[in-house]
Amino acid sequence: MQPDDVVRSRLRRQQLRAPQAATVDDALRSLLAVQSQEFAYARWSLAQRTGGATADAVEEALAEGTLLRTHILRPTWHSVHRDDLGWLMTLSAPRLHQGNKGMYRQSGVDEDTAARSGAILAEAVAGGAHKTREELAVILDGAGFPSKGLGFIYILMHAEISRILVSGAPVRSAGGALKQSYALFDERVNGSAGTALDREAALAQLVLRYFSSRGPATIKDCAVWSGLTMKDVREGLHLAADVAPGALGTLTADGIGFHLAAEEIDAVAGSAAASGPGTDGPGSDGPRVDLIQCYDEYVMGYSQSRHYLGGSAPYFPTGDAPIHVVLLDGRLAGWWRHGFSGGICELDVRMDRPATGAVKQALDAEVARYGAFLEMPAKLI
């Protein structure tokens, strides 16, 4: 298993290379959960895995409730398809509440506070009355609950993890920025997405979806990504073998086991067909530049085996440097961010090597693709 083969396979399975998803819905279903605390950039994480979805298409999915944005897994903001959020939250919630216990105590969110504030929040957003964070702060303040600081933050997060709140239709601020709103979980998830899964079925589903979309990856990669234990992931692999026999396979590199979609085994093992021209990755006919967000699943989907990225990300620079990731043929090659002026998207791209010749052409093509996603002119600054 050579590094180039791992890179090629991950790019392909994550749909950053062909065959890409037909729609935003399909991309989200494939990845199961997509980290999305910076939603302006997280929109691009989904759209760039399709044949040309725009920012408006992602925002429409959020408004309609096909895409739901909430705290889950580690926990941080993630986008999850409404058909998956019910069972995934059921699997994730016990560990989230356990992990938050210290912060609940510190912020004063005990069982009584959580129950009473949860009832107030549920009533406030019932019947499609989606409300922004600011509107909920006013309501909680009027009932004697914290409306700012850690107390407010953890009351909202407790309500999300407890399946009371989830994302509603986003609201545009006066300056044009999207603002999160909250809705009633059961109204957006449609009764936990039809079919409730027991814990064993949910574990099998998570493991299948993770390794199918992100493999080759390790058990520890999956555990850190999901917030579950390595024991849970091992159990999920055994259960997945019963649910979908032959769907996943295993390879070993440097004494570590990697799990992946079985159909990828020959490619990752270094077959001539996989490493030849036209694969749009290391060793292909020409370079490819990707601008991805720093929390993209191509980065955050791995912990133990993130070194295949070829650098350290995410990172938080001092000063006014960009934090989002430039890939050159699937490996870290610099940093970028966007800005807007006069109806034009201005891209600040700082590569770790001069972008000349074919690399410059590849970068220009990616800038044009980002402009098409935003449906506005885009240029390098």
Side-chain angles (χ1 to χ4, degrees):
M1 191 169 82
Q2 298 300 311
D4 281 358
D5 298 316
V6 173
V7 168
R8 265 189 294 267
S9 183
R10 287 182 176 179
L11 289 168
R12 184 166 52 246
R13 299 308 298 189
Q14 290 219 18
Q15 300 179 312
L16 288 167
R17 298 292 183 271
Q20 292 187 298
T23 66
V24 169
D25 282 18
D26 291 338
L28 187 55
R29 286 178 190 274
S30 174
L31 288 169
L32 181 58
V34 175
Q35 195 162 331
S36 62
Q37 58 262 60
E38 290 194 48
F39 186 67
Y41 289 95
R43 298 174 308 173
W44 173 234
S45 286
L46 289 168
Q48 71 188 137
R49 288 169 162 85
T50 73
T54 64
D56 283 347
V58 182
E59 291 171 19
E60 183 178 341
L62 181 63
E64 291 179 349
T66 307
L67 179 164
L68 295 170
R69 185 169 176 261
T70 193
H71 284 90
I72 199 168
L73 300 179
R74 290 183 287 280
T76 188
W77 288 108
H78 280 81
S79 296
V80 181
H81 197 281
R82 67 180 170 200
D83 289 349
D84 293 311
L85 184 57
W87 67 263
L88 187 59
M89 186 62 85
T90 299
L91 182 63
S92 187
R95 288 193 61 82
L96 294 179
H97 280 315
Q98 181 65 33
N100 279 348
K101 271 189 173 181
M103 291 307 301
Y104 290 156
R105 284 194 300 270
Q106 182 179 332
S107 56
V109 183
D110 56 21
E111 287 188 17
D112 179 66
T113 298
R116 290 188 297 115
S117 62
I120 289 168
L121 291 168
E123 183 180 0
V125 299
H130 302 179
K131 289 186 170 56
T132 65
R133 188 184 187 93
E134 294 78 9
E135 289 170 329
L136 291 181
V138 172
I139 291 169
L140 288 173
D141 185 63
F145 293 100
S147 58
K148 58 184 177 181
L150 286 177
F152 177 60
I153 290 169
Y154 278 92
I155 280 174
L156 290 184
M157 191 184 295
H158 194 289
E160 289 177 272
I161 298 169
S162 300
R163 300 158 60 105
I164 295 169
L165 294 181
V166 75
S167 61
V171 176
R172 287 278 180 194
S173 69
L178 276 182
K179 298 177 68 174
Q180 170 92 15
S181 78
Y182 292 86
L184 196 63
F185 187 100
D186 286 344
E187 291 179 354
R188 296 288 266 180
V189 181
N190 296 329
S192 301
T195 306
L197 301 181
D198 62 28
R199 188 176 187 279
E200 288 191 349
L203 266 180
Q205 184 69 204
L206 181 143
V207 166
L208 276 169
R209 301 273 284 279
Y210 172 85
F211 286 112
S212 294
S213 63
R214 292 167 179 80
T218 69
I219 287 173
K220 185 174 181 180
D221 286 331
C222 183
V224 173
W225 175 83
S226 65
L228 300 174
T229 66
M230 292 176 67
K231 180 180 178 182
D232 287 333
V233 177
R234 291 189 184 96
E235 181 184 356
L237 282 166
H238 289 301
L239 294 166
D242 294 332
V243 172
L248 299 178
T250 305
L251 292 172
T252 301
D254 299 322
I256 299 172
F258 286 76
H259 303 270
L260 68 166
E263 63 195 23
E264 288 288 310
I265 289 178
D266 287 345
V268 179
S271 71
S275 58
T279 55
D280 204 12
S284 65
D285 289 338
R288 169 75 179 265
V289 171
D290 295 277
L291 303 178
I292 66 173
Q293 67 148 330
C294 63
Y295 304 113
D296 190 273
E297 293 301 311
Y298 188 73
V299 177
M300 301 305 296
Y302 313 95
S303 54
Q304 184 180 25
S305 67
R306 193 179 294 172
H307 59 275
Y308 288 102
L309 180 67
S312 297
Y315 90 124
F316 303 98
T318 58
D320 188 34
I323 65 171
H324 299 289
V325 174
V326 181
L327 298 178
L328 177 60
D329 291 335
R331 291 193 171 89
L332 194 152
W335 312 95
W336 73 284
R337 66 181 162 208
H338 67 211
F340 301 94
S341 178
I344 296 174
C345 175
E346 298 179 334
L347 292 169
D348 179 4
V349 177
R350 307 181 192 185
M351 298 187 69
D352 60 12
R353 68 207 75 179
T356 59
V359 173
K360 178 62 165 62
Q361 292 178 4
L363 175 58
D364 289 342
E366 183 71 348
V367 169
R369 192 163 73 110
Y370 196 69
F373 156 72
L374 293 173
E375 298 182 282
M376 66 169 59
K379 68 175 185 179
L380 293 169
I381 59 170

